[in-house]
Amino acid sequence: TLTSVAQRFGVTVGALRTANRLTTDNLFAGQQLVIPLGSSSAGVPVRLQQRPERLSLEPVIDRWAAAYAVPGPLLKSLLWIESGWQNSVVSSVGAMGIGQLMPDTVVFVERMLGEDLDPGDPEDNIRMSARFLAYLLEETGSAELAIAAYQQGLGALQREGTYPHVEPYVGDVLAVA
């Protein structure tokens, strides 16, 4: 239902209706929706509007997206799906921060940048996430494949293609972007 989609992505039903030019709340299986995530309060997920400390990260995300020529909406969406723009999140496998960076990814990106960064610092975490996404976009040539590689690893993607359990993740990131 439109209500369940709105709750899942932390947006209002009205914002979904507007973004998708819907006149009814009825959906059909497989229907693709645009999930609004923007800089105006009307397009920002409700959960993000309620957390100004997280919303204040938007200019930082925009700055690093521009610095590494990554589409800003794609980076924002990726970081939203990964952590809800929460830097305190640590996964059961050790992924950390806003971009849910694995320790090996942190080392890899630090080598690319030629400097040590702190994945516990929100700005550094966003910067590393943006640079890593830029790398994956360069290597894969598409947003869909780059997002899959972000989730499952570039080597695994190249060897085996997108894992079936990663496909919904890719769809969620692209839907929000």
Side-chain angles (χ1 to χ4, degrees):
T1 66
L2 201 57
T3 301
S4 65
V5 171
Q7 289 173 343
R8 178 177 180 190
F9 290 101
V11 298
T12 65
V13 171
L16 276 175
R17 268 196 225 107
T18 301
N20 291 281
R21 298 185 179 130
L22 299 173
T23 57
T24 176
D25 289 355
N26 296 327
L27 301 174
F28 59 87
Q31 182 174 353
Q32 292 190 354
L33 297 173
V34 172
I35 309 297
L37 176 64
S39 58
S40 69
S41 62
V44 174
V46 174
R47 288 181 295 190
L48 190 51
Q49 290 178 37
Q50 296 168 347
R51 303 303 300 258
E53 75 280 4
R54 286 194 245 164
L55 192 54
S56 70
L57 295 171
E58 190 170 26
V60 177
I61 297 169
D62 288 337
R63 182 173 60 252
W64 289 115
Y68 296 117
V70 170
L74 183 64
L75 181 59
K76 288 176 188 178
S77 174
L78 174 71
L79 299 177
W80 177 255
I81 297 298
E82 284 291 335
S83 70
W85 295 10
Q86 298 175 85
N87 202 52
S88 61
V89 176
V90 178
S91 77
S92 61
V93 295
M96 14 180 187
I98 296 164
Q100 287 296 279
L101 298 168
M102 294 294 293
D104 288 346
T105 304
V106 170
V107 171
F108 178 76
V109 173
E110 286 176 332
R111 285 186 186 143
M112 280 195 296
L113 295 173
E115 61 184 289
D116 291 334
L117 297 172
D118 177 5
D121 176 83
E123 178 143 359
D124 284 357
N125 194 289
I126 292 167
R127 180 181 180 193
M128 287 186 279
S129 299
R131 181 61 186 101
F132 189 55
L133 182 57
Y135 166 76
L136 294 173
L137 286 164
E138 292 164 11
E139 291 295 311
T140 65
S142 83
E144 183 175 276
L145 293 174
I147 297 302
Y150 195 97
Q151 177 69 15
Q152 73 183 57
L154 181 59
L157 177 74
Q158 291 170 331
R159 284 188 308 275
E160 303 170 39
T162 303
Y163 294 150
H165 72 275
V166 172
E167 290 174 7
Y169 168 85
V170 172
D172 287 350
V173 172
L174 294 177
V176 173

